[in-house]
Amino acid sequence: MIKVGIIGYGNLGQGVERAILKQDDMEVFGVFTRRPKEGVKTLGATAYNMDELMNYKEDIDVLVHCGSSEFDLRDQTPELVKYFNIVNSFDMHALIGEHIDEVSKNAADNKKSALVSVGWDPGIFSMQKTIFDAILVDGTTQSFWGHGKSQGHSNVASKVDGVVMARSYSVPNVDNIEKFKNHEGIDVSTNHYKDVYVVAKDGADTKQIEADIMNIEHYFKGSSTNIYFITQEEMDRDHNTWHQGGEVIRSAKTSDNIKHTLDFKLSLDSNPEFTSSVLVAYTRALYRMHLRQEYGVFTALDIRPRDMSSKSYEQLIKEML
């Protein structure tokens, strides 16, 4: 039985616990939180305060870190990998290489295994893009996100001074999607825009909030973004679900007049619950890799699909090939 520790118990952390409850070979050792543990209501797992984590180094097979990429994963993963095998969903694309380097400094030397930047993008989208590119080398690939709510963008916008709550939506340019599928040229700078809905604190400077959100590097800076200030009642009524989606499209050719379009698409009722399920599958893979003494830092591009599955290799051959 794989014993999993969960760091953080927001939407993603709860989703990881929910996903593990569906697994026959995994169990939640505990949830570790910065909030007072007495106030954390789990689906059955024991809640611990974060400062208790080091007491259980020998009891936890893999940690799944469900914190924020911006505020938690960047600093905590390189330190925690000294003591734990760890999985995270670090999603700041421009900084993934730097994050891998930082985690690498401590992973292999401590005979630990880390799997970073796994979710659906980066993660399974990254794997799909690699496969498409390897098969059809003469072409281009585009990723489109939305329409739906982004966890990471919503989180960083919510941390801005004067903000009570913020929810950010990715909105794809459907005309660009159809043109790209038809092998027509597109202006990729117009592939997306963002709609951000904000509840501001009483008396807060909304102009300053807007400027601060638009200046968040790696999330909103330089992007096409609309910001709308609404009431808490409107937020609770109109923005209380976490639907999301996206697709990876490869437009390519194998001969001058032979064209191909490859499309991998997701439509999700709950972005956090799906991302959590991805993390749990990769947690199993990392555990197996660690048992094989594969130490160091890995990404979705390094993982064998058979390691992610709870089914036997014989069963996979029978059902999947």
Side-chain angles (χ1 to χ4, degrees):
M1 191 68 71
I2 306 170
K3 295 182 179 179
V4 180
I6 301 172
I7 296 180
Y9 201 70
N11 291 325
L12 192 60
Q14 186 177 104
V16 169
E17 183 184 10
R18 190 182 303 276
I20 289 176
L21 289 173
K22 296 180 180 291
Q23 313 300 321
D24 294 330
D25 60 343
M26 310 175 81
E27 64 182 16
V28 178
F29 175 84
V31 170
F32 295 86
T33 176
R34 287 177 296 199
R35 290 179 280 164
K37 62 184 180 182
E38 296 78 11
V40 176
K41 296 181 179 179
T42 70
L43 301 176
T46 301
Y48 299 92
N49 289 331
M50 190 65 183
D51 59 12
E52 299 178 83
L53 178 61
M54 291 302 168
N55 298 336
Y56 302 103
K57 291 184 293 185
E58 305 303 320
D59 302 300
I60 295 171
D61 293 315
V62 183
L63 274 180
V64 180
H65 200 320
C66 299
S68 159
S69 294
E70 174 71 16
F71 302 108
D72 303 309
L73 303 183
R74 295 175 73 177
D75 299 325
Q76 293 177 16
T77 305
E79 182 64 24
L80 288 170
V81 79
K82 295 177 182 178
Y83 312 101
F84 299 92
N85 302 313
I86 190 166
V87 174
N88 78 25
S89 58
F90 185 82
D91 66 354
M92 300 174 72
H93 292 264
L95 300 180
I96 290 175
E98 177 184 315
H99 185 58
I100 290 171
D101 290 342
E102 289 300 311
V103 181
S104 295
K105 293 177 181 179
N106 295 323
D109 287 348
N110 289 283
K111 295 185 177 181
K112 297 299 180 184
S113 306
L115 181 52
V116 303
S117 298
V118 290
W120 58 274
D121 191 27
I124 57 174
F125 267 26
S126 312
M127 181 174 61
Q128 201 64 56
K129 287 189 288 187
T130 302
I131 293 170
F132 283 177
D133 181 76
I135 295 170
L136 295 175
V137 297
D138 186 4
T140 55
T141 301
Q142 291 291 324
S143 297
F144 295 89
W145 305 282
H147 183 278
K149 194 180 295 180
S150 167
Q151 296 177 86
H153 289 73
S154 297
N155 185 54
V156 296
S158 294
K159 299 289 186 181
V160 167
D161 286 344
V163 173
V164 175
M165 180 185 296
R167 294 292 181 259
S168 176
Y169 292 83
S170 303
V171 185
N173 183 333
V174 293
D175 289 338
N176 275 18
I177 292 175
E178 292 308 310
K179 288 180 180 178
F180 190 70
K181 286 181 178 179
N182 290 325
H183 304 270
E184 300 176 30
I186 60 172
D187 177 1
V188 298
S189 68
T190 65
N191 278 359
H192 305 88
Y193 66 90
K194 300 179 181 71
D195 283 336
V196 184
Y197 295 86
V198 178
V199 178
K201 294 179 181 178
D202 291 341
D205 184 341
T206 56
K207 292 293 186 182
Q208 186 62 52
I209 289 173
E210 186 170 347
D212 289 344
I213 290 175
M214 292 301 300
N215 201 43
I216 300 175
E217 197 169 3
H218 307 299
Y219 288 93
F220 297 101
K221 191 172 184 178
S223 69
S224 177
T225 302
N226 305 307
I227 299 176
Y228 306 96
F229 290 92
I230 61 175
T231 66
Q232 186 66 59
E233 181 182 7
E234 290 173 313
M235 181 69 80
D236 294 341
R237 183 190 66 211
D238 300 331
H239 305 282
N240 60 0
T241 63
W242 286 91
H243 68 275
Q244 182 56 297
E247 54 190 311
V248 173
I249 305 169
R250 180 77 172 169
S251 177
K253 60 183 180 180
T254 48
S255 300
D256 288 343
N257 297 316
I258 305 298
K259 299 177 181 179
H260 311 276
T261 302
L262 307 182
D263 190 359
F264 178 75
K265 186 174 183 179
L266 298 177
S267 180
L268 311 174
D269 276 353
S270 171
N271 188 3
E273 287 197 18
F274 179 77
T275 302
S276 300
S277 297
V278 175
L279 284 168
V280 168
Y282 278 118
T283 295
R284 178 183 291 109
L286 186 73
Y287 175 72
R288 291 174 173 174
M289 293 169 68
H290 182 73
L291 291 181
R292 297 194 296 263
Q293 299 182 4
E294 297 178 30
Y295 306 135
V297 183
F298 306 94
T299 72
L301 304 183
D302 302 300
I303 305 303
R304 296 189 296 186
R306 61 181 286 189
D307 279 341
M308 299 172 65
S309 177
S310 63
K311 296 181 177 181
S312 70
Y313 191 45
E314 292 74 20
Q315 190 175 3
L316 290 173
I317 289 174
K318 182 179 179 179
E319 295 179 6
M320 306 301 173
L321 290 183

